[in-house]
């Protein structure tokens, strides 16, 4: 089954909803929603390799993984800022600065890739591991952070949306954690070898389904959460 | 209340707080004034009597205190400077001034007797028999007349507008005929025979005046401080009530974080001692509006701000 058919439209919807959301709401939401929007970029590009010319270029693939890393870093920064606000009630920064700074980081990353050697398969693999590691650990940290935010704003109109974000990061953890597990233990190769012997590798099968289901649920929950948030913030 | 006929008015209804009393008394001394000055205040009545430019007598009478001489002058100065006194100056003859002095410093034998209930003939007979020196004070709420006696024999009459002791009863008897007229019997006890010293000559009225001025300044300062304290307490009370109202409104609309936001913004825009100001209130709401966007949508925020404005208006109107 080609899971991309399911996950990609979900991420397109989630990306559009989150980016649209970033435009019309408080500054801190900009970091969070821009971060979720970048997931769309990081998801679309690898999937579109077969259809769009130039996407097979290793530099582009490296940049895709880096954008994925930037996505989780930007949204984590947003949640951190929100947590600081919920504790100190202090607000600072500006919306345009978030867009410009995020774009700046993406461009600097691109420049870094272009001034270096062409990434080998090993380099791409390492960049991918770094990306997924960031996703896995920052998802856990974000779950804890959002739990604290939820406790601070428990009875406010949008508190339930934060409960939904906990679910979002749980699904992301499941998705990216499974990907990382497969990559670290090279389960794909082991599964290919097992398949050649007419066997199946349970760990791979389990991780694969966790990854795909996690991906679908993450895409669904991101889109759903932002729509719910938009309703609450009407 | 000292009940005395008005005599021949020289000046009436003067605010003694607006004049330099030691200078004014000095001028009366120089002009050989004979008569009396009456100071009516909320705290009592003061009388200063002059004969031929000599300040022979000062008296201040109120429910709680009866002061004479310098103490009376000092009290009159204080109350005059306080700005709540009324001064009337009446001219009298020397004899009448002395009689008034004797009367004021004499003893009250009977007070407030209803004239119609008294056997006036017996009373006059008793005065004659006892060879009393003094006077009968006959009065209603509007009019007063005095009948002076020496050694039991009538000396003369004094009523409103008289400058001297009059020999004909005239007006004095008409007071006695008024409904509700009362009579006091006063004995001078020989006070009219004492040779009286000039209080102006033996006292530094300038010093008394300055002391009274200092006291009034001190009193006003204390009064102002007390008023400030009261106002401060009222403002603090209002501040607490406003804060409680805003916090509860914010909490009802956007939860506990709304209450915390109000607390923070209120401390910033309305620190203790800072009175209410609509401009600062609107700025505070503007900031609150921005911060509230983090946890609520525009409609909830608008409703919250509207409720706050309404609540504040009602509370300010009420206080």
């Amino acid at each position: 089954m080609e899971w991309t058919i399911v996950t990609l439209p979900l991420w397109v919807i989630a990306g559009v909803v989150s980016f649209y959301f970033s435009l019309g709401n408080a500054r801190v939401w900009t970091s969070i929603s821009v971060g979720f929007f970048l997931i769309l970029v990081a998801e679309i590009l690898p999937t579109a390799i077969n259809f769009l010319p130039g996407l097979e270029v290793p530099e582009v693939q490296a940049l895709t993984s880096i954008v994925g890393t930037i996505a989780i870093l930007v949204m984590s920064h947003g949640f951190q800022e929100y947590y600081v606000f919920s504790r100190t009630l202090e607000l600072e920064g500006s919306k345009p600065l978030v867009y410009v700074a995020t774009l700046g980081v993406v461009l600097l990353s691109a420049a870094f890739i272009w001034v270096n050697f062409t990434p080998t398969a090993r380099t791409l693999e390492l960049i991918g591991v770094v990306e997924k590691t960031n996703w896995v650990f920052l998802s856990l940290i974000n779950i804890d952070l959002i739990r604290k935010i939820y406790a601070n704003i428990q009875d406010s109109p949008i508190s339930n949306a934060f409960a939904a974000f906990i679910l979002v990061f749980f699904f992301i953890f499941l998705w990216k954690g499974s990907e990382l597990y497969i990559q670290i233990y090279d389960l794909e190769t082991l599964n290919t070898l097992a398949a050649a012997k007419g066997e199946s590798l349970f760990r791979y099968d389990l991780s694969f389904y966790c990854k795909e289901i996690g991906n679908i649920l993450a895409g669904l929950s991101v889109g759903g959460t932002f729509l719910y948030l938009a309703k609450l913030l009407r | 209340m000292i009940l005395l006929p008005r005599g021949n008015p020289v000046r009436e209804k003067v605010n003694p707080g607006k004049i330099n009393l030691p200078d004014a008394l000095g001028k009366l001394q120089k002009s050989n004034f004979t008569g009396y000055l009456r100071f009516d205040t909320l705290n009592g009545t003061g009388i200063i009597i002059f004969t031929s430019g000599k300040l022979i007598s000062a008296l201040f009478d109120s429910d709680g205190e009866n002061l004479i001489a310098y103490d009376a002058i000092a009290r009159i100065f204080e109350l005059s400077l306080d700005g709540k006194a009324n001064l009337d100056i009446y001219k009298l003859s020397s004899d009448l001034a002395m009689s008034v002095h004797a009367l004021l410093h004499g003893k009250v034998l009977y007070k407030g007797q209803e004239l119609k209930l008294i056997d006036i003939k017996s009373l006059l007979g008793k005065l004659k028999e006892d060879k009393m020196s003094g006077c009968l004070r006959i009065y209603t709420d509007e009019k007063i007349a005095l009948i002076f006696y020496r050694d039991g024999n009538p000396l003369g009459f004094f009523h409103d507008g008289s400058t001297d002791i009059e020999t004909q009863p005239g007006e004095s008897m008409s007071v006695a005929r008024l409904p509700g007229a009362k009579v006091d019997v006063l004995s001078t006890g020989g006070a009219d025979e004492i040779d009286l010293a000039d209080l102006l000559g033996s006292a530094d009225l300038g010093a008394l005046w300055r002391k009274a001025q200092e006291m009034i300044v001190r009193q006003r300062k204390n009064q102002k401080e007390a008023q400030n304290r009261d106002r401060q307490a009222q403002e603090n009370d209002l501040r607490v009530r406003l804060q409680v109202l805003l916090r509860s409104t914010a909490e009802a609309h956007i939860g506990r974080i709304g209450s915390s936001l109000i607390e923070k913004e209120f401390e910033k825009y309305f620190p203790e001692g800072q009175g209410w100001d609509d401009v600062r209130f609107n700025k505070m709401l503007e900031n609150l509006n921005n911060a509230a966007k983090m946890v609520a949508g525009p409609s909830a925020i608008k409703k919250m701000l509207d409720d706050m404005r309404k609540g504040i208006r009602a509370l300010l109107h009420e206080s």
Side-chain angles (χ1 to χ4, degrees):
Chain A
M1 181 186 170
E2 186 50 73
W3 290 87
T4 316
I5 297 167
V6 182
T7 58
L8 204 60
L10 287 176
W11 279 114
V12 170
I13 294 167
V16 170
V17 169
S18 59
F19 187 76
Y20 180 71
F21 185 82
S22 79
L23 298 174
N25 284 289
R27 216 278 302 151
V28 173
W29 287 114
T30 315
S31 311
I32 295 170
S33 44
V34 163
F36 279 104
F37 169 73
L38 288 179
I39 299 179
L40 169 67
V41 178
E43 277 298 295
I44 277 187
L45 292 183
T47 318
I49 281 176
N50 300 329
F51 311 106
L52 295 174
L55 290 182
E56 74 286 357
V57 175
E59 281 86 350
V60 175
Q61 289 181 36
L63 186 61
T64 305
S65 290
I66 289 173
V67 167
T69 312
I70 293 169
I72 182 67
L73 290 173
V74 170
M75 71 178 78
S76 301
H77 181 251
F79 281 112
Q80 263 180 5
E81 281 191 310
Y82 203 107
Y83 175 66
V84 170
F85 164 75
S86 73
R87 295 289 298 176
T88 65
L89 309 174
E90 291 292 338
L91 281 170
E92 52 185 30
S94 73
K95 242 177 215 289
L97 190 68
V98 175
Y99 292 121
V100 170
T102 309
L103 191 65
V105 172
V106 172
L107 292 176
L108 277 175
S109 306
F112 179 78
I113 289 166
W114 256 265
V115 297
N116 271 296
F117 307 106
T118 300
T120 60
R122 168 80 178 139
T123 310
L124 290 175
E125 196 180 328
L126 284 175
I127 293 173
V129 167
V130 170
E131 180 207 352
K132 289 171 191 84
T133 309
N134 268 305
W135 272 104
V136 168
F137 290 103
L138 287 176
S139 292
L140 291 176
I141 288 169
N142 283 346
I143 286 172
D144 184 49
L145 203 59
I146 293 166
R147 181 188 61 79
K148 287 176 181 166
I149 293 171
Y150 178 77
N152 290 339
I153 62 159
Q154 211 166 4
D155 50 358
S156 72
I158 62 155
S159 58
N160 286 342
F162 278 91
F165 272 122
I166 291 179
L167 215 58
V168 166
F169 279 103
F170 173 72
F171 295 140
I172 289 176
F173 171 75
L174 207 64
W175 165 32
K176 295 291 181 181
S178 303
E179 277 189 350
L180 185 64
Y181 180 61
I182 290 169
Q183 200 164 358
I184 292 289
Y185 284 95
D186 198 14
L187 291 184
E188 257 178 13
T189 311
L190 292 176
N191 186 54
T192 310
L193 291 173
K197 289 180 197 170
E199 295 168 1
S200 69
L201 194 63
F202 172 73
R203 282 171 197 271
Y204 174 75
D205 291 342
L206 180 67
S207 305
F208 179 80
Y209 285 111
C210 279
K211 180 187 87 167
E212 296 301 345
I213 291 166
N215 189 347
I216 291 169
L217 293 176
L220 268 175
S221 59
V222 169
T225 302
F226 275 104
L227 285 172
Y228 180 48
L229 203 52
K231 180 178 173 273
L232 294 177
L233 288 177
R234 229 181 8 219
Chain B
M1 181 73 175
I2 298 173
L3 297 172
L4 274 183
R6 280 196 284 276
N8 185 23
V10 177
R11 295 282 298 274
E12 282 185 311
K13 301 198 188 307
V14 177
N15 180 356
K18 290 187 176 172
I19 54 178
N20 185 315
L21 280 177
D23 281 358
L25 295 177
K27 281 177 189 164
L28 292 174
Q29 182 188 36
K30 278 181 192 155
S31 65
N32 288 324
F33 175 72
T34 300
Y36 74 94
L37 290 77
R38 181 187 180 97
F39 297 84
D40 284 304
T41 75
L42 294 173
N43 303 66
T45 307
I47 300 286
I48 290 177
I49 303 172
F50 276 88
T51 57
S52 309
K54 278 166 72 179
L55 196 166
I56 56 160
S57 174
L59 178 91
F60 183 83
D61 182 66
S62 74
D63 289 342
E65 60 185 342
N66 203 318
L67 305 173
I68 56 164
Y70 307 122
D71 293 340
I73 294 173
R75 190 84 180 103
I76 288 168
F77 281 179
E78 285 162 19
L79 293 169
S80 298
L81 283 168
D82 202 24
K84 290 166 193 156
N86 177 64
L87 167 64
D88 298 316
I89 304 172
Y90 300 109
K91 207 170 175 181
L92 303 173
S93 67
S94 268
D95 281 350
L96 192 49
M98 286 302 288
S99 299
V100 169
H101 157 72
L103 164 72
L104 293 179
H105 292 270
K107 271 196 291 188
V108 178
L109 300 179
Y110 303 105
K111 192 170 169 61
Q113 303 293 312
E114 290 273 352
L115 206 56
K116 66 180 178 188
L117 302 177
I118 285 179
D119 182 351
I120 195 77
K121 277 185 184 168
S122 304
L123 178 65
L124 296 175
K126 179 90 169 84
L127 293 180
K128 197 169 179 79
E129 190 185 314
D130 293 347
K131 295 191 172 174
M132 199 196 86
S133 293
C135 89
L136 294 181
R137 179 161 58 197
I138 302 165
Y139 58 96
T140 64
D141 288 342
E142 286 85 28
K143 292 191 170 184
I144 303 167
L146 302 179
I147 306 170
F148 291 103
Y149 282 81
R150 183 169 289 161
D151 300 329
N153 295 312
L155 202 63
F157 304 89
F158 174 35
H159 50 76
D160 291 340
S162 306
T163 50
D164 207 345
I165 297 176
E166 296 187 12
T167 48
Q168 295 303 314
E171 170 107 359
S172 302
M173 279 302 102
S174 70
V175 176
R177 282 192 290 271
L178 288 172
K182 289 178 181 171
V183 64
D184 298 340
V185 181
L186 302 112
S187 155
T188 55
D192 52 341
E193 289 160 8
I194 302 166
D195 188 21
L196 295 161
D198 182 6
L199 292 176
L200 276 176
S202 58
D204 183 356
L205 293 195
L208 282 179
W209 181 250
R210 280 190 297 278
K211 203 175 154 191
Q213 280 178 319
E214 282 164 12
M215 208 194 82
I216 289 295
V217 168
R218 223 173 19 249
Q219 262 178 4
R220 284 188 180 152
K221 193 178 157 206
N222 290 343
Q223 221 169 25
K224 206 173 173 183
E225 280 171 2
Q227 279 170 349
N228 284 344
R229 274 198 300 276
D230 286 351
R231 202 181 57 237
Q232 192 68 49
Q234 279 174 350
E235 277 178 8
N236 283 346
D237 178 54
L238 179 65
R239 185 176 174 273
V240 168
R241 285 162 65 202
L242 290 169
Q243 199 179 17
V244 166
L245 171 88
L246 292 173
R247 285 182 66 171
S248 59
T249 309
E251 192 164 343
H253 287 279
I254 61 172
R256 268 183 301 126
I257 196 163
S259 172
S260 307
L261 280 170
I262 277 291
E263 197 178 339
K264 178 176 161 261
E265 294 297 330
F266 201 85
E267 287 301 327
K268 187 175 156 192
Y269 284 95
F270 297 99
E272 217 164 297
Q274 186 94 61
W276 185 257
D277 182 271
D278 282 344
V279 176
R280 270 183 286 125
F281 176 57
N282 286 331
K283 276 188 186 162
M284 188 190 86
L285 290 191
E286 208 174 292
N287 273 13
L288 181 67
N289 178 44
N290 290 337
K293 279 180 188 166
M294 295 288 287
V295 292
S299 56
I301 296 172
K302 188 179 177 301
K303 180 98 179 51
M304 173 182 78
L305 298 182
D306 285 348
D307 283 357
M308 282 178 177
R309 285 195 184 95
K310 271 185 220 156
I312 291 292
R313 264 202 301 273
L315 194 60
L316 289 176
H317 181 71
E318 178 188 303
S319 52

